[in-house]
Structures are given as structure tokens and as C-alpha cells.
Amino acid sequence: MKILHLDKNHPLLTEQLNALGHTNDEDDTSSKEAIEKIIHQYDGFIIRSRFKIDASFLDSAKNLKFIARVGAGLENIDCDYAEQKGIKLIAAPEGNRNAVGEHSLAMLLSLFNKLLKADREVRQGKWRREENRGLELDGKTVGLIGYGNMGKSFSKKLRGFDVEVLCYDIKDHVGDENATQVSLQELQEKVDVLSLHTPETASTMDMVDSEFIHGFKKPFWLINTARGKSVVTKDLVSALESGKILGAGLDVLEYEKSSFVNLFKPSVTSSGVEMPEAFKYLISAENVILTPHVAGWTLESKERLAQTIVDKIALEFC
């Protein structure tokens, strides 16, 4: 097959596909419009998140047999339309699930032990022991919403702690030896920590809003390594201010990529909109940890993601 790569990935991806007899072209700079004019020449293409693959693009891809995304989700692709056209969709959640599990745990432990706050203070010559007294994870109840590859990885990481792990998922019978599947109501009644591991879908967009947050019986800690648009930022901030949410580890935000960068331009963004007050709060809050969508972004996962894509293409087409 003739395959177009739209992003730079681990070199093993093209090396192994070449070895399987496929032709590989790379173009990680051309615009979507330019790619749309040549995509009819290809049997498959491999993408991360450069642009949306919509119906118009797919109509131009007249010979396409597959789309592979070097990542966990497929939300940047019109999956229904692609499947109607008989295009095979390939993702690689197995490739970065371990990284996401480790990052989720790192965020949680950092929040509980005030590691970032304590580190900043020591560097400033401040020796504040009582103000940096931490919490222990043992004895807590951790709830996971979404129990696929990422949720299962996080629950596995929690096995070394004396915690109860609950999971909620729209699919039945996904619980295992590491997490007990419960209703959303039971999860909201019991948890001390909530971690999101959901894809971006119509049902998860703005899922964590004020009503959802106040459905929890106890104040809780929030970890989000899933999708930024699952959380309504202003409602999260209100809950942080009131103490309903005790702290948050956010690897994803509703402000991402170019929109995020624009927030830090002097006074206003390029569109003339001031930095949202909710985001101002997050970047100044000591009980919030922010990372730039890197939970699944390790040296090991870069290789593993590429290998997963190669293996799936080989299984499907060789």
C-alpha cells in the first residue's frame, strides 16, 4: 500500500512498514487543503492530531483503506462517515496506557503531599513544615470514570496502596480484580478521589459541571488525564473555591494548543478576548497541578504507540 504520514513519529513506524513492502511518504507541514488535493493517491494515512478528518476530506480520499491515529482516541476523525465508506480505523490506546497510569498516580501523590508547593518554597528559602503536612493515600476510595485501557492501567498502579478502587463505565461487566464496577450514584457517594479516563464524545463533553460535582457526597480530589472539554472550567473553579473539590491535577484543559498559547499574550488574546477568570484562578492555585497534555507522552510510549500501529496494520492488511 501507499501510506502518507502526516506527523513525525518514532522512526520504527516507517522502517517496519517499509520492511513489510509498503511505500511511505511523509508530509508534516502542508495545510489540510493541500493534503486533501493529493490524498486520493494513498491507500492509508497515519495521523496524530494535526487537523480534523471530516466528510469533505474523506470524500477526497477515494482509495483509502485505513486511517491510523498514533494515540488513544479517534475524536478528530468523523468515524461514522469513515466507516460508512468502508475505511478501517486504527488507534493505539495500548501504546500509552502505562504512561497515563503512571502520570495519574504522580499527579495524585504530588497533590496529597504538596510537592510542588513545598519545592517552590524551599527554593525561596522558606522552611515550612506544618504548612506542607501531607495526606496519605491509604484508606481512601478512588473512583474512576471510564474503565478501558487508561482506567485499567491506573487501577493497576494503585494495587500497592491500601485503597478501595471503584469504576463506572457505560459498558457492563468491565470491573476486574483491581476495581469494582458500581453505579454512578454509588461512586459519587463513596469516593475521595475522582479520576477521569473517558474519550471525547457527546455524552462526556461538559460532563463535570456544577450539578455533577455537587452530586458527590464528600469533598473530593479530581484528576483529569482524559479530555479537557469533559470539565466545565468555571464550575471546577467554583468547586475549588468552595472546597467541594479539594485539589485538581489537570493534564488536559478546555484551552489547548494555539488557544492556550494565546491566553498568555499581553492583555488579550489574538481574538481580543481577555484571559478567562477561571483560567487565571487555575494558574495561581496552589492546590492545582497543570501539565500540557503529556500524560501519555513518554519516551517509552512514543515507541510503543508506533509499534502498536505497525502491528495492527500488519494484522489487518498483510
Side-chain angles (χ1 to χ4, degrees):
M1 292 185 295
K2 191 174 181 181
I3 301 170
L4 178 62
H5 298 251
L6 297 179
D7 298 274
K8 289 189 181 298
N9 291 295
H10 195 283
L12 76 79
L13 190 53
T14 53
E15 290 169 3
Q16 292 192 22
L17 289 173
N18 281 331
L20 290 169
H22 304 299
T23 300
N24 293 273
D25 294 337
E26 298 182 11
D27 187 337
D28 61 350
T29 58
S30 295
S31 67
K32 178 181 177 181
E33 292 72 24
I35 297 295
E36 195 167 324
K37 292 177 181 178
I38 62 169
I39 195 62
H40 65 278
Q41 302 172 21
Y42 292 93
D43 301 293
F45 69 86
I46 298 174
I47 192 170
R48 283 205 312 263
S49 301
R50 266 184 67 196
F51 47 71
K52 294 281 187 181
I53 306 302
D54 54 21
S56 173
F57 188 93
L58 292 169
D59 282 339
S60 299
K62 300 184 184 302
N63 297 305
L64 207 61
K65 297 180 176 65
F66 77 86
I67 303 169
R69 180 167 183 265
V70 187
L74 294 168
E75 63 269 12
N76 59 327
I77 301 168
D78 186 337
C79 296
D80 291 339
Y81 194 60
E83 289 172 350
Q84 287 175 26
K85 297 176 76 68
I87 298 169
K88 177 72 176 179
L89 299 176
I90 299 171
E94 305 90 342
N96 62 356
R97 60 188 175 190
N98 184 71
V100 170
E102 290 191 5
H103 195 94
S104 301
L105 181 59
M107 280 190 144
L108 180 54
L109 293 176
S110 295
L111 285 168
F112 270 33
N113 292 283
K114 303 180 182 178
L115 294 185
L116 298 187
K117 174 179 178 292
D119 176 78
R120 284 194 300 268
E121 291 176 357
V122 170
R123 292 172 188 272
Q124 295 167 4
K126 301 173 183 177
W127 195 265
R128 295 173 172 171
R129 296 184 68 216
E130 188 57 40
E131 294 88 338
N132 289 299
R133 191 183 290 274
L135 291 172
E136 295 179 15
L137 186 51
D138 278 14
K140 305 297 190 294
T141 299
V142 180
L144 313 177
I145 295 185
Y147 202 60
N149 281 281
M150 309 305 167
K152 284 181 163 67
S153 176
F154 187 31
S155 68
K156 184 178 178 181
K157 307 304 175 195
L158 292 167
R159 286 195 305 201
F161 298 89
D162 185 14
V163 295
E164 180 181 19
V165 182
L166 307 177
C167 67
Y168 169 75
D169 197 284
I170 58 173
K171 295 181 180 179
D172 294 328
H173 312 298
V174 298
D176 56 20
E177 68 275 12
N178 298 322
T180 302
Q181 187 169 7
V182 297
S183 66
L184 180 59
Q185 180 181 357
E186 184 174 349
L187 184 137
Q188 289 180 304
E189 287 175 356
K190 293 183 175 180
V191 303
D192 302 292
V193 176
L194 175 67
S195 187
L196 304 181
H197 300 279
T198 48
E200 186 175 301
T201 67
S203 61
T204 63
M205 293 275 283
D206 296 332
M207 176 179 67
V208 181
D209 59 9
S210 182
E211 181 180 0
F212 178 89
I213 290 167
H214 289 282
F216 285 78
K217 183 177 180 180
K218 299 183 285 185
F220 64 96
W221 302 79
L222 175 68
I223 305 294
N224 187 11
T225 55
R227 292 293 182 261
K229 292 180 181 178
S230 292
V231 177
V232 179
T233 308
K234 62 181 180 62
D235 291 351
L236 165 62
V237 167
S238 294
L240 286 164
E241 290 176 322
S242 71
K244 183 65 178 182
I245 292 181
L246 300 168
L250 308 173
D251 181 53
V252 287
L253 297 162
E254 64 176 280
Y255 328 102
E256 291 214 27
K257 294 186 179 176
S258 59
S259 62
F260 170 82
V261 173
N262 285 334
L263 293 177
F264 288 87
K265 290 184 176 179
S267 302
V268 296
T269 69
S270 60
S271 60
V273 179
E274 293 186 6
M275 180 185 287
E277 290 300 318
F279 188 61
K280 289 180 184 179
Y281 180 93
L282 291 181
I283 62 177
S284 64
E286 291 186 335
N287 60 340
V288 174
I289 296 176
L290 304 169
T291 54
H293 204 157
V294 292
W297 206 253
T298 63
L299 293 173
E300 293 86 353
S301 72
K302 183 178 183 179
E303 180 174 354
R304 199 176 294 121
L305 284 164
Q307 189 64 62
T308 301
I309 293 297
V310 171
D311 292 345
K312 289 186 176 183
I313 292 173
L315 182 64
E316 187 72 25
F317 296 103
C318 295

